[in-house]
Amino acid sequence: MTIEHQSTESGSMLHRLNPSLKLAGLIIITTGILIYPSWRFSGLLLLLTILGFKVSNVPLHVSKKRIHFLMAFSALLFIFQVLMTANGTILLFIIPKHDLMGPFLPVTDFGIEKGFQMSLRFLLVVFSSMLFVSVTDPTLLAHSLTRLKIPYRYSFALVIALRFLPLFDMENKTVRIAQRSRGISISVQGMSRILRTIRYTFFPLLVSALSRVDALSLSMDGRGFGHSRTRTYLRKSCWTALDSAVLVLLSTLLLASILLTLGFLPQISAII
Amino acid sequence: MSNGQNSSITTRNIVTVAILASLGGSLSTFVGYLGNLINLSLGVPFGAGQFMAGLHVFWLILIRVIVAKRGTGTMGGLLKGLVELFTGSTHGLVIVAVSMVQGLLIDLGAEIAGTPHNNSNISRLTWWLSAGVAAASNVFVLQAFYFSGAHWILLTVIALLAFCSGVIFAGYFAWETLEFLKDSRVLSNSFSSTSPFPVSRKRVTYRNLPAIALIIFITVGSLYYTVAVAQVFSDPYSCKVTGLVENPYTYSPQAFVGQEVTVQAELQGVNIHLDPANYTGILLSTILEAAIPMAETTGVRIVARDGYTILLDLDEVMTDTHLLLTEVEDGLWLIASNYDGALWIRMVITLEVY
């Protein structure tokens, strides 16, 4: 397991933004499309997100398999909404009238609109999250969270969790290879086999992981972790004028989605 | 490892939470793989994978039991969600919300269950149930984001599947794991250490029998209620009459017996045409009159279960003798013979006067 799409070397504008601001941006975008669930609004934000990938030189198709899954799942969401929505102007029937049977499964304009709304929302949430991960250094994120008065002992937990990922990934592979060499294969045929598969994978990893707790916590305590209310950092996040400008933009976006929902911006809501 | 609920969190606690969250996040790919295998073996594209939902909650239960302090479930959930986000979860930020809600529910369950070191059946049952509820919560959080409009029976069945998974994997299996960790001396001075000797697997199974029986009863009972009973008793033939009215109420055709009218109407849509047919129901004007619209009102907003909404002029509605709500198999239909076919609405749930 690796931290996906990590591209902290690039010096693009998105990379340089404060990590907390980027997290806030991600939350605001997700909240915005939940508050104002228009497919045009979601589509617009999705276009901006894709533009963000371009601007920050992050390849969009990191994993072909994942992109295929995302596209298939968004298509599934679209079909699901179209089939579940009976109201609106009927455009066609999936099963047309034949003699005395049918017609069945109407496709309506409202259903298609809802389909776009949900599938674009899904793609926006996933792609904006991918972009966030690609342009954010987790260590700097932890630091920026401490600047928001979150105690560093808690924000450091994120750093620990992410730092141990490659190790657990390696151990997971080792355990799986060891099982295979002993003739134990993954099986889901019946509950007892599922439990056995999980037991054989989880137990060795758990013992290995928990046996590190003492060494690491004693080492941290020995270095005075948590002794002082503040700590020093090798790398720090900073807040610039650009961050302030982006914060204003994001706040405007959130405010706009609230006003659009409440119907205070009828001219704009007619467009998006 | 402290057993106190209120003492401050130590470095060891933080490291334990972080490491378990990391391991849980790292193994989520493996869990997803198992879910896909189950889908394949059952020949369905998705859904059966919910049977693995409990394995995501398993880690949060371990965190909350091993670090028996308030809020560690939520903290673990947040961390696990962030780990999954950073490792490229296909749900993006939503996975953080899902995981955090699960952690929060486990914390709530822990408050009810009391200390995990208490070996009583009731306490264990509460832990297992909260694990089931936490596992089921993912269905509703994901529904809020992506599946609005899904039929509640479908959601309930999927949620019950996830609930069972939570009870099995985050309840029964988590307890078995904790016993294993205790026996292997990894949990040195902690979890349920009232018994100094290793407990046999058979004994663990016998001890858990009452809890397992009750959970099976609740699960089967809920499924039966959802599929067979609730559908019968829930009333799809009612809708709320709200807004600027003096007497807001819930409309039900039974309250208007004797006031039905029959109209002949034909649906003329852009692409569809239904031949003239007779529809019997209650006039919209009669329904709204019973609510007594206020003087300054000008329109009525009609909302369907799938979110479809139309606006009609109140004066026109009150004088229209061909605009009625009729009962059809899936709920109330608005028959609007004087209007375009797009205004014939299925599954009306709200009439709001404005």
Side-chain angles (χ1 to χ4, degrees):
Chain A
M1 184 77 43
T2 52
I3 298 172
E4 292 284 327
H5 326 300
Q6 198 65 51
S7 174
T8 50
E9 296 305 312
S10 169
S12 76
M13 188 192 81
L14 283 176
H15 283 84
R16 279 183 276 119
L17 286 178
N18 187 283
S20 293
L21 178 72
K22 286 184 264 191
L23 182 63
L26 182 61
I27 294 168
I28 285 173
I29 286 173
T30 309
T31 312
I33 53 158
L34 285 177
I35 294 174
Y36 186 65
S38 149
W39 70 271
R40 292 185 197 90
F41 188 49
S42 299
L44 181 70
L45 291 176
L46 183 62
L47 277 177
L48 289 174
T49 305
I50 290 167
L51 192 70
F53 275 92
K54 282 267 175 210
V55 167
S56 51
N57 294 321
V58 176
L60 190 55
H61 43 82
V62 180
S63 156
K64 222 171 191 179
K65 205 174 164 189
R66 175 166 300 143
I67 295 292
H68 282 168
F69 170 79
L70 294 178
M71 289 304 164
F73 194 73
S74 66
L76 193 74
L77 283 174
F78 180 83
I79 293 166
F80 179 83
Q81 289 298 331
V82 168
L83 294 181
M84 296 295 289
T85 310
N87 280 311
T89 303
I90 296 172
L91 303 175
L92 58 103
F93 286 93
I94 291 175
I95 302 172
K97 189 169 179 166
H98 183 72
D99 293 336
L100 292 174
M101 290 286 286
F104 299 114
L105 298 175
V107 175
T108 66
D109 59 347
F110 182 62
I112 289 174
E113 194 178 306
K114 276 195 83 180
F116 275 124
Q117 183 189 314
M118 287 298 158
S119 56
L120 287 174
R121 179 190 292 181
F122 168 73
L123 288 176
L124 176 60
V125 170
V126 174
F127 281 124
S128 58
S129 301
M130 279 167 66
L131 182 62
F132 166 74
V133 170
S134 304
V135 297
T136 306
D137 180 341
T139 310
L140 291 180
L141 174 65
H143 174 253
S144 68
L145 290 175
T146 59
R147 294 186 64 168
L148 294 174
K149 305 292 177 202
I150 292 173
Y152 71 85
R153 294 172 75 233
Y154 296 109
S155 60
F156 193 71
L158 175 65
V159 177
I160 298 173
L162 292 173
R163 206 158 277 175
F164 269 89
L165 272 174
L167 181 74
F168 291 144
D169 186 36
M170 202 173 66
E171 289 195 345
N172 185 15
K173 279 180 189 153
T174 309
V175 166
R176 302 266 292 275
I177 290 168
Q179 286 173 357
R180 230 176 289 151
S181 68
R182 285 166 176 78
I184 302 168
S185 57
I186 292 175
S187 173
V188 293
Q189 309 296 321
M191 179 52 81
S192 62
R193 287 194 183 182
I194 293 175
L195 278 174
R196 194 194 66 170
T197 299
I198 296 163
R199 202 178 288 130
Y200 286 171
T201 311
F202 280 24
F203 281 10
L205 288 169
L206 256 174
V207 171
S208 165
L210 287 172
S211 61
R212 293 170 202 280
V213 169
D214 277 331
L216 182 60
S217 56
L218 282 172
S219 167
M220 286 167 69
D221 281 337
R223 284 168 171 77
F225 181 82
H227 179 72
S228 169
R229 290 178 72 86
T230 56
R231 57 165 288 199
T232 54
Y233 295 89
L234 183 63
R235 289 191 299 140
K236 291 181 181 178
S237 64
C238 52
W239 187 271
T240 61
L242 180 66
D243 293 317
S244 303
V246 174
L247 182 63
V248 171
L249 270 175
L250 288 169
S251 308
T252 310
L253 179 75
L254 184 64
L255 186 68
S257 53
I258 294 169
L259 292 176
L260 283 164
T261 307
L262 295 175
F264 288 126
L265 302 170
Q267 280 108 343
I268 297 174
S269 67
I271 304 165
I272 58 167
Chain B
M1 219 156 298
S2 170
N3 297 349
Q5 289 267 329
N6 295 313
S7 54
S8 65
I9 198 158
T10 63
T11 304
R12 194 173 195 281
N13 295 152
I14 291 171
V15 171
T16 308
V17 173
I19 280 187
L20 286 175
S22 177
L23 188 55
S26 126
L27 281 172
S28 62
T29 315
F30 174 69
V31 174
Y33 172 62
L34 285 181
N36 285 338
L37 280 185
I38 292 179
N39 283 335
L40 278 175
S41 64
L42 293 176
V44 292
F46 68 100
Q50 275 295 338
F51 192 63
M52 289 287 117
L55 278 181
H56 294 289
V57 179
F58 167 84
W59 300 101
L60 307 183
I61 286 282
L62 280 194
I63 288 170
R64 188 58 181 80
V65 172
I66 294 173
V67 185
K69 289 185 176 173
R70 275 195 194 109
T72 48
T74 313
M75 182 186 171
L78 178 64
L79 266 181
K80 183 175 168 287
L82 284 170
V83 167
E84 288 187 54
L85 171 70
F86 274 96
T87 50
S89 165
T90 45
H91 288 301
L93 185 68
V94 175
I95 201 67
V96 183
V98 168
S99 193
M100 201 169 152
V101 168
Q102 287 176 336
L104 188 68
L105 288 169
I106 286 165
D107 271 332
L108 286 174
E111 287 300 315
I112 299 164
T115 170
H117 310 280
N118 173 4
N119 270 330
S120 76
N121 280 337
I122 294 293
S123 171
R124 189 180 311 119
L125 180 69
T126 313
W127 276 97
W128 291 19
L129 286 176
S130 66
V133 170
S137 70
N138 92 85
V139 177
F140 299 103
V141 177
L142 287 176
Q143 192 262 348
F145 278 93
Y146 304 136
F147 284 102
S148 74
H151 200 285
W152 66 274
I153 289 186
L154 175 73
L155 286 175
T156 312
V157 169
I158 297 175
L160 274 173
L161 191 66
F163 174 82
C164 294
S165 168
V167 171
I168 293 165
F169 294 118
Y172 173 80
F173 179 64
W175 251 245
E176 188 189 293
T177 306
L178 287 162
E179 292 289 351
F180 163 78
L181 292 174
K182 193 182 70 176
D183 292 347
S184 58
R185 309 285 180 211
V186 176
L187 298 184
S188 47
N189 48 358
S190 57
F191 163 76
S192 66
S193 50
T194 49
S195 166
F197 306 108
V199 184
S200 73
R201 207 165 145 172
K202 204 172 171 186
R203 203 175 142 203
V204 171
T205 310
Y206 280 131
R207 210 170 53 192
N208 290 331
L209 271 180
I212 292 168
L214 187 62
I215 285 160
I216 290 171
F217 172 76
I218 290 172
T219 307
V220 174
S222 311
L223 193 63
Y224 174 74
Y225 177 82
T226 307
V227 175
V229 183
Q231 195 181 13
V232 176
F233 288 109
S234 67
D235 185 9
Y237 306 114
S238 66
C239 73
K240 276 195 243 172
V241 186
T242 61
L244 301 176
V245 291
E246 287 174 18
N247 176 36
Y249 72 105
T250 300
Y251 162 77
S252 175
Q254 287 80 13
F256 289 81
V257 174
Q259 298 183 62
E260 297 93 346
V261 294
T262 299
V263 297
Q264 191 181 57
E266 64 180 311
L267 188 153
Q268 289 186 333
V270 179
N271 298 294
I272 185 179
H273 174 258
L274 289 185
D275 292 334
N278 286 334
Y279 297 94
T280 301
I282 307 299
L283 286 173
L284 214 56
S285 55
T286 309
I287 296 166
L288 294 176
E289 259 171 25
I292 314 170
M294 291 175 185
E296 69 273 22
T297 51
T298 56
V300 58
R301 182 178 287 113
I302 304 171
V303 185
R305 196 179 296 146
D306 58 15
Y308 188 64
T309 305
I310 61 160
L311 305 176
L312 293 177
D313 184 89
L314 188 62
D315 290 337
E316 286 178 18
V317 168
M318 298 309 274
T319 54
D320 195 328
T321 54
H322 282 70
L323 187 66
L324 54 86
L325 280 185
T326 187
E327 293 172 70
V328 186
E329 66 271 14
D330 59 356
L332 294 170
W333 274 31
L334 179 73
I335 304 298
S337 55
N338 292 332
Y339 294 87
D340 179 73
L343 302 187
W344 289 49
I345 304 181
R346 295 178 183 203
M347 298 174 287
V348 174
I349 55 165
T350 306
L351 303 174
E352 185 190 350
V353 178
Y354 63 92

